[in-house]
Amino acid sequence: MNKIYFALFISIFSLIYFGIHYYTYNRIIYGLMVSGPVKNYIKIFFLISALSFVIIEFISRKVVISPWIKIAAQYSSVWIGAISIAVTVFLVADILRIFFHSQPFRYYSVIFSLIVIAVISLYSIYNVAREPFLKEIKIKTGKLPSNLPKFSIIQLSDVHLNFLKSEEWLNKIVDKTNSQNPDLIVITGDLIDADVEGLKNFYEILKRLKSKYGVFAVTGNHEFYAGIDKFLEIAKNSNIAVLRNEKRTIANYVELIGIDDNTGKRFSETGSDLKGALKNCDFKKLVVLLSHQPDVFDEAVKSGVDLQLSGHTHAGQIPPMDLIVEFYFKYPYGLYQKNTSYLYTTSGTGIWGPPMRLFSRSEIIKIVLEK
């Protein structure tokens, strides 16, 4: 990765990350009028919690993962989610304080905010603890041959395999996917979130994915963060074909296009090349594009793509990211149609960071293309 980009990223991340901790700490201390030893205890708690995420991220890449590291990592990831929710709730309380200036309101608004933060955090954890649900989407197309009334695709995305994901969880995803007997299985990026070399049982589980015409994947940004060579080795060992700015013809009636994530450019890779991937495409056939990030859809429509499948956004998972995602991405979540082309942006099969979701669910997508 470019050193200047990395330094800039770390600087901005640190400013925002420690800034939201300081903001939340101040709202609690001054809202509840805490002083003396209790204030110092809260300060130490916030400092340790803030540093836990940074320290665990570093340690988990350098040493053998132990049960204690897993526990610490789980705590730090939940803390990241809780502090994000806290910032959102306290910002709402601060807006209300524009209209209500009294000291009692400031005091009780902090108490009420802490209750709301706890309730939202607990529900968000519960929401992720449930299995990803199967969502079926039917799309009409005139490009299927007369002897083929429908064609089914299972889309997995943003699985984010790492040492915090369990084999049991992954097995359930594979079982639910296979139970649909799909014609095709596609993985639209971020299959891994770290080097899973030490978690080789994941290979055997992923090998169990079965469809009539195979399993295909594209890179996401996290494949490059974790190491593209490691990802390609994992895919090879798991019988997953990776499409990198290229196409495969499936059963002579589907053109499957896969493009790299543009993050690759920061790692001396090509990045996405939709034009090159479509170079020898037969547009009389059904053209399906796999792109980790959704916002190439406008270009895909102009290029003649019939269906684009994407992920990356996670539907925001929790506040304030859900609002940020809505404003930042043109196609943040759900099914979109432009002319005769379709895009589905999934919320993801897994989660990144906090094991929390508020307004969305983790999902496995079944696309049924019908005449």
Side-chain angles (χ1 to χ4, degrees):
M1 182 187 289
N2 184 286
K3 291 182 179 180
I4 295 176
Y5 173 83
F6 182 72
L8 183 63
F9 170 79
I10 292 297
S11 299
I12 295 173
F13 171 81
S14 299
L15 184 64
I16 296 172
Y17 181 70
F18 290 105
I20 63 177
H21 280 81
Y22 181 74
Y23 170 78
T24 306
Y25 165 79
N26 266 312
R27 288 297 170 270
I28 294 171
I29 292 300
Y30 293 111
L32 300 181
M33 296 176 289
V34 177
S35 60
V38 175
K39 180 179 179 180
N40 290 329
Y41 294 149
I42 295 174
K43 185 185 296 183
I44 292 169
F45 170 74
F46 265 76
L47 184 60
I48 292 173
S49 296
L51 291 174
S52 67
F53 176 76
V54 179
I55 293 170
I56 289 298
E57 280 293 301
F58 176 79
I59 290 177
S60 65
R61 286 165 168 74
K62 301 295 182 181
V63 302
V64 176
I65 303 302
S66 70
W68 288 108
I69 290 178
K70 282 189 177 183
I71 292 171
Q74 287 167 342
Y75 169 78
S76 68
S77 61
V78 169
W79 173 257
I80 291 294
I83 202 71
S84 298
I85 292 167
V87 166
T88 308
V89 173
F90 279 124
L91 281 172
V92 172
D94 279 351
I95 292 170
L96 292 175
R97 283 177 57 195
I98 296 173
F99 306 99
F100 304 97
H101 306 286
S102 66
Q103 176 59 43
F105 178 82
R106 185 171 72 175
Y107 179 83
Y108 286 108
S109 68
V110 171
I111 291 177
F112 182 73
S113 294
L114 290 173
I115 293 171
V116 170
I117 292 163
V119 170
I120 291 176
S121 296
L122 289 172
Y123 172 77
S124 299
I125 292 170
Y126 160 75
N127 201 20
V128 165
R130 295 189 286 175
E131 289 181 31
F133 80 104
L134 182 71
K135 182 177 182 180
E136 183 172 310
I137 298 169
K138 294 183 179 181
I139 296 175
K140 296 287 185 180
T141 177
K143 287 193 173 181
L144 292 178
S146 57
N147 62 342
L148 185 73
K150 64 181 181 179
F151 186 85
S152 64
I153 304 173
I154 290 287
Q155 178 192 10
L156 306 176
S157 190
D158 301 277
V159 179
H160 286 280
L161 291 177
N162 58 27
F163 66 92
L164 290 178
K165 298 294 194 304
S166 71
E167 294 175 20
E168 179 186 9
W169 176 79
L170 186 57
N171 267 312
K172 287 180 179 178
I173 290 171
V174 171
D175 289 341
K176 187 171 285 190
T177 297
N178 289 344
S179 71
Q180 299 304 303
N181 297 312
D183 292 307
L184 190 65
I185 296 173
V186 299
I187 303 171
T188 50
D190 285 2
L191 174 62
I192 65 171
D193 196 23
D195 180 6
V196 293
E197 178 65 25
L199 305 169
K200 292 187 176 180
N201 286 344
F202 284 160
Y203 298 177
E204 297 304 316
I205 298 171
L206 290 170
K207 270 185 185 179
R208 295 200 301 107
L209 285 170
K210 299 294 180 186
S211 78
K212 189 173 182 180
Y213 298 108
V215 183
F216 294 85
V218 291
T219 59
N221 50 314
H222 282 262
E223 269 73 47
F224 293 101
Y225 299 152
I228 186 63
D229 291 336
K230 294 173 183 176
F231 165 66
L232 294 174
E233 184 67 21
I234 290 163
K236 180 181 177 181
N237 291 332
S238 304
N239 295 334
I240 298 170
V242 181
L243 299 180
R244 306 192 65 190
N245 298 319
E246 57 188 311
K247 82 169 180 75
R248 293 285 181 89
T249 301
I250 307 296
N252 204 35
Y253 46 76
V254 175
E255 296 280 66
L256 184 65
I257 313 297
I259 59 173
D260 259 0
D261 190 80
N262 241 0
T263 303
K265 289 182 178 179
R266 302 175 197 158
F267 296 82
S268 302
E269 296 283 340
T270 304
S272 64
D273 181 11
L274 180 59
K275 187 177 179 180
L278 291 169
K279 189 174 182 180
N280 298 313
C281 187
D282 182 356
F283 290 95
K284 293 179 181 179
K285 297 173 181 175
L286 183 68
V287 181
V288 178
L289 170 65
L290 309 182
S291 170
H292 180 56
Q293 302 198 36
D295 285 353
V296 299
F297 184 50
D298 291 335
E299 184 183 353
V301 173
K302 292 176 183 177
S303 300
V305 169
D306 298 299
L307 171 64
Q308 177 182 323
L309 299 176
S310 297
H312 184 62
T313 68
H314 291 247
Q317 288 190 205
I318 54 174
M321 284 306 301
D322 47 3
L323 291 174
I324 293 172
V325 161
E326 284 290 330
F327 283 108
Y328 185 79
F329 290 96
K330 188 175 181 179
Y331 306 104
Y333 171 66
L335 182 66
Y336 301 90
Q337 182 179 3
K338 191 170 183 180
N339 300 332
T340 58
S341 302
Y342 292 88
L343 159 69
Y344 188 78
T345 305
T346 176
S347 61
T349 311
I351 51 91
W352 178 83
M356 297 166 141
R357 283 190 184 275
L358 182 57
F359 297 115
S360 63
R361 284 280 305 275
S362 296
E363 58 187 20
I364 296 169
I365 302 303
K366 182 178 182 180
I367 305 287
V368 180
L369 298 157
E370 301 177 318
K371 289 188 68 65

